[in-house]
Amino acid sequence: MGLVYVPLGKAIAFLLSFLNDGIFAVTDFLQSLRSLQTIWPSPDITWIAAYYTFLALLYLLWKKIKQAKAAKLYLDFLHGDSAPSEPAAPFDPNQISLTADPIRQLFRLRIFLLFTISGFALLLFIGYTPDRFSRNGLVQFMDVGQGDSILIRTPEGKHILIDGGGTLSFHKPGEDWKIRRDPYEVGRKLLVPLLKKRGVHQLDTLILTHQDADHSGGLQAVLEQIPVKQCLFNGTLKPNEGLKKLFRTALKRNIPLIAADPSHIMSMDAGTQIQFLYPFLAENNQIRVEAQQNNQSLVFLLQMEATRWLFTGDMEMSAEALLLKAWKGETERPPSVAANVSIDVLKVAHHGSKTSSTEEWLKYWNPRYAVISVGAINSYGHPSLEVIERLREHQIGVFRTDQMGEVQIGVRKGSLFQRIKLQ
Ligand SMILES: [Zn+2]
């Protein structure tokens, strides 16, 4: 009887050791990638329950297999097939159940162990990429206080980050004592943990609309801790130490820094495209030093399945007017977008400041919804009541991060759904 199972038992043992080696190889590989070591999304309660159930099951199986092995050894000894290698262990009566056929039992247990290990591996895989099977696109306007940071997950699971929030700091001469030794740093304290919690293992594209601190400040920590495949920026450089450090970090990590080109459409996945509209590239393709950044903000259209979104950074009304003129054919620049294109969602420029979002601009784009990313307590008076009123007059649904916390708008089978996530 036992002879029948020997080859099968060997095959299973081989398979188990192969699986074991496989798990070690994967673990080694993951550990060799520095950035993947810690990026595990926060699991939900059912995942945690399943994890501990698997651990308990593996422990029980290990004990049972040990018992069955002891019983088999004992029987072999009784039948005089072989002498036990460790005579003391097999004769412990608590360890041996002689009622079952130990060889058959051992076989069943090993099969069960194989299934359990496979199930456990699958659970780990699901825990590592919980959204792998989701086909929804999701745009997350994160609550970074006064500033912008928007995370986009495309239906095929690509991640795009637009800006990284940051803190603007003003110090009058002689007030150095007011500077905190360890100031709150949005990137390190909020943005990076949030990205990791959401299972962002890498950013396929990082878009820095412009270089003011409330958009760029948090990105230093992002570049240091999360792999980034490419970084698009507005083709200028703000003369500032923080920015120099940020660009140097990108170069050190071999992240391509690309000045966004309005003449080309960037495909993110099969149903997601980004079309840059502004600013127009400098004639000589040179990077310019530019201290005033608002009107150098990257403006771009995102098309995700059948939905259209406009991102505007902190552009002001003069840039809005310039673009409208261009599209009406009143300037030399050829129009980049077809006329009368309604959009679904508008990221309101410059935190809802009255220096942007003119009547003409809103009329041109005719958005269904508008999102204002703005801090609950800010000294600029953002968003302006005038802009809020204008949006209402145009019957545009308004979402505000200062009142609602993070605003998430998703795309499911070509239509929008919305959820608010208070933090
Ligand atoms: Zn800003």
Side-chain angles (χ1 to χ4, degrees), residues 132-295:
R132 176 161 289 269
F133 303 109
S134 163
R135 283 287 167 261
N136 297 339
L138 192 63
V139 180
Q140 301 148 77
F141 296 86
M142 293 186 284
D143 182 15
V144 288
Q146 181 69 8
D148 274 11
S149 187
I150 304 154
L151 176 67
I152 301 171
R153 183 195 177 276
T154 72
E156 287 182 18
K158 295 275 183 344
H159 283 112
I160 306 159
L161 181 70
I162 304 167
D163 294 341
T167 317
L168 290 169
S169 55
F170 299 101
H171 302 292
K172 289 179 193 159
E175 285 191 348
D176 286 354
W177 56 275
K178 279 189 178 174
I179 302 171
R180 288 175 57 182
R181 193 171 296 164
D182 181 22
Y184 184 78
E185 209 278 280
V186 172
R188 197 159 33 88
K189 298 268 171 65
L190 184 96
L191 188 56
V192 168
L194 213 63
L195 292 175
K196 288 183 175 177
K197 211 168 122 187
R198 292 185 188 179
V200 178
H201 307 129
Q202 72 166 17
L203 290 167
D204 297 280
T205 297
L206 171 65
I207 300 175
L208 174 59
T209 61
H210 66 296
Q211 295 157 29
D212 285 343
D214 56 327
H215 298 251
S216 63
L219 292 178
Q220 182 65 37
V222 172
L223 289 193
E224 283 169 7
Q225 296 187 50
I226 293 177
V228 177
K229 279 175 118 174
Q230 60 172 356
C231 174
L232 285 109
F233 74 117
N234 63 3
T236 73
L237 180 65
K238 184 173 177 170
N240 166 301
E241 278 313 308
L243 262 308
K244 275 186 201 160
K245 188 179 169 195
L246 186 75
F247 280 80
R248 265 202 302 267
T249 309
L251 292 174
K252 211 164 75 189
R253 296 196 172 271
N254 294 323
I255 300 166
L257 284 165
I258 304 162
D261 180 356
S263 67
H264 107 270
I265 293 174
M266 198 166 72
S267 175
M268 300 308 304
D269 70 17
T272 311
Q273 295 174 334
I274 285 178
Q275 182 185 3
F276 288 96
L277 308 175
Y278 182 83
F280 310 118
L281 271 189
E283 303 290 346
N284 53 7
N285 262 344
Q286 293 280 312
I287 303 291
R288 283 174 294 121
V289 172
E290 188 68 64
Q292 299 301 321
Q293 284 278 321
N294 283 352
N295 274 336

Side-chain angles (χ1 to χ4, degrees), residues 353-367:
S353 158
K354 63 181 174 202
T355 53
S356 318
S357 309
T358 58
E359 185 73 30
E360 294 71 31
W361 187 250
L362 296 181
K363 218 188 270 174
Y364 183 86
W365 290 107
N366 189 27

Side-chain angles (χ1 to χ4, degrees), residues 114 127 298 301 365:
L114 190 68
L298 284 177
L301 264 175
W365 290 107

